[in-house]
Amino acid sequence: MSNRLLALTSIVTCSLLLSSCAKISTINTNLDRENFAHYFSPAEVKIFESEQEFPGKHKMLGMVEGSHCQAKAHLAAPDKIEARTEARRSAFQLGANAIVFSGCAEVGNQGDNRQCHASVICYGKAYQVENLN
């Protein structure tokens, strides 16, 4: 009986070894290419102080804005950097590679119906600039 047990153990061990070496041909994940493009899009839009800084010809594509919300009074204050990043993301969606911010405004709670306790909104002009690396 010990020979049978040894043989059965050997068969099971060999089966496990062979199946663990099998090649994985497809991998399914919840990652989405568009999420990566959306996440990294602000980095493709360079911030300039004024149009005079552009290194080449430029075309204004439109006005953009971005906002950041403080949902509740006890949470972190709204962040100007997040609002500007959101505006850069909007500029990228227009096909821009440059932005000139005209300003940011802080908006406080104006009643019980508001979704944000406070928010920051930043405004800018989106441009397509030639010779921009």
Side-chain angles (χ1 to χ4, degrees), residues 78 105-110 114 116-121 123:
E106 292 185 28
V107 180
N109 187 348
Q110 297 177 349
R114 305 243 334 143
C116 300
H117 175 72
S119 60
V120 173
I121 303 170
Y123 303 94

Side-chain angles (χ1 to χ4, degrees), residues 51-65:
E51 292 83 356
Q52 288 75 31
E53 295 180 358
F54 293 156
K57 295 180 183 179
H58 59 277
K59 175 183 176 184
M60 185 174 141
L61 301 177
M63 300 293 292
V64 292
E65 69 178 53

Side-chain angles (χ1 to χ4, degrees), residues 29-90:
T29 69
N30 63 349
L31 298 177
D32 184 1
R33 287 180 188 257
E34 288 191 29
N35 286 343
F36 283 104
H38 179 74
Y39 182 79
F40 291 109
S41 63
E44 300 295 324
V45 180
K46 187 172 180 181
I47 300 171
F48 288 90
E49 293 296 319
S50 71
E51 292 83 356
Q52 288 75 31
E53 295 180 358
F54 293 156
K57 295 180 183 179
H58 59 277
K59 175 183 176 184
M60 185 174 141
L61 301 177
M63 300 293 292
V64 292
E65 69 178 53
S67 63
H68 190 247
C69 175
Q70 177 187 17
K72 302 280 183 188
H74 65 277
L75 298 175
D79 187 9
K80 180 179 174 181
I81 294 171
E82 292 292 331
R84 287 170 60 109
T85 300
E86 206 46 49
R88 289 171 71 192
R89 186 171 284 120
S90 295

